[in-house]
Amino acid sequence: MPATRNIQVLSLVATSLAALSVPATVLGAEALYVAGFGGSTQKAFEEQIIPGFEARTGAKVTYVPGNSTDTLAKLIAQKSKEDVSIAMLDDGQMSQAVEQNLCMPLPAFPMLNDIYPKARMSGGKAVGFGFYATGLGYNKGVFAKNGWATPTSWNDLGDPKYKGKVSIAPISSYGMMALVMIARANGGNEEKIEPGFEAMAKKVSPNVLAWEASPATMAQMFQTGEAALIVWGNTRVQPVVDQGAPVAFVYPKEGAVLGMVTACVINGGPKPKLAQRFLEEVLSPAAQVQLAKWAALGPTNSKAKLEPDVARNVVYGPDQVGALVPLDWSVINLKRPDWTKRWNREVER
């Protein structure tokens, strides 16, 4: 997700900035402060990746979870006095971080040659460490009960039969991807967004039960069938499947959005060399396997080898990676403020 004038969330920073403050006891000679994702990704790092890194380096890694929008806002607010050494963000927000000069150039380590080209972000300052696909999730129980066929298109979100059964996150999250992909499904694109707004306002919005920002609430609504058709990532749908719910992820015929969780070494942050070592650890085949197993993130390192029972639940291999649709975040970020105002006025009202 030109100069980024679109960080409107900064007005919220004053109340939450303390969450990114590092205690004095952490700022020792070998301390590393990592701002990352919560949920299964946090668990994978804290239980599978960080302990080995600490044992090999003698470092103390403090992992503080948060969503990408809030983390980005806090990093911007702390610019030039950063406590963070490594930041992990969704690709849209990471593109904004790079535009804000928050990231150092990537170190020239050989492992980068093994990273899929789609995971190397433009500018050479950030890199994807996990792929995911954004598409449609549906509750198979509700669909079977109503005699509905499996959804196949982004335009299905606007089918009147799903009135009151659709849930989408706001435009600051999955809503943006839905807007762009519905525009593409109707002859538009990032440069020509009008078909997306027209379909979202006139067809999709009347079907929406909730513009749900909370992953936990979305998961509950999805699991119970209160929300039977949603826009979500495969990494979000899979844990609900693992809990035994009758849900599934769909790659729409127009394509699922290429999603990445990304990382960069923070410009001006403490311990940059140690941070670079941590980034190498995250991109290693061993760590990539753990992220696939525990967080359903598809490997961005082409040398990572997954067992079949893991591979079938993630984006894996050159064919699947190549099939995902990348979004033009440079265009989206430039137009985000205007689109957000229009969304709030016409779509999520």
Side-chain angles (χ1 to χ4, degrees), residues 136-146 148 151 156-169 203-212 218 220-232 247:
L136 304 177
Y138 77 106
N139 187 297
K140 295 188 288 185
V142 174
F143 270 64
K145 180 180 178 181
N146 287 278
W148 296 337
D156 287 338
L157 292 165
D159 190 319
K161 68 172 174 277
Y162 300 130
K163 186 175 179 62
K165 285 296 183 180
V166 173
S167 186
I168 306 173
K203 297 181 179 180
V204 179
S205 183
N207 286 350
V208 173
L209 169 68
W211 302 98
E212 186 51 61
M218 180 75 91
Q220 183 178 13
M221 294 169 60
F222 190 35
Q223 187 171 22
T224 62
E226 184 180 7
L229 181 60
I230 65 175
V231 176
W232 231 16
V247 302

Side-chain angles (χ1 to χ4, degrees), residues 116 131-133 234-235 238 242 249 251 288-299 301-302 304-321 324:
Y116 287 109
F131 286 123
Y132 64 90
N234 69 309
T235 55
Q238 189 57 44
D242 294 341
F249 180 80
Y251 289 78
Q288 294 273 288
V289 170
Q290 296 303 321
L291 288 166
K293 289 175 64 176
W294 299 100
L297 290 171
N301 188 323
S302 62
K305 303 301 179 185
L306 303 182
E307 296 295 328
D309 62 332
V310 177
R312 64 171 166 260
N313 295 327
V314 303
V315 175
Y316 179 56
D319 291 343
Q320 290 189 8
V321 171
L324 295 179

Side-chain angles (χ1 to χ4, degrees), residues 21 42 99 112 132 138 147 174 184 189 217 221 229 237 240 296 306 311 335:
S21 297
Q42 179 183 1
E99 291 168 2
L112 282 178
Y132 64 90
Y138 77 106
Y174 290 104
R184 290 188 177 205
N189 53 35
T217 303
M221 294 169 60
L229 181 60
V237 173
V240 184
L306 303 182
K335 299 184 178 182

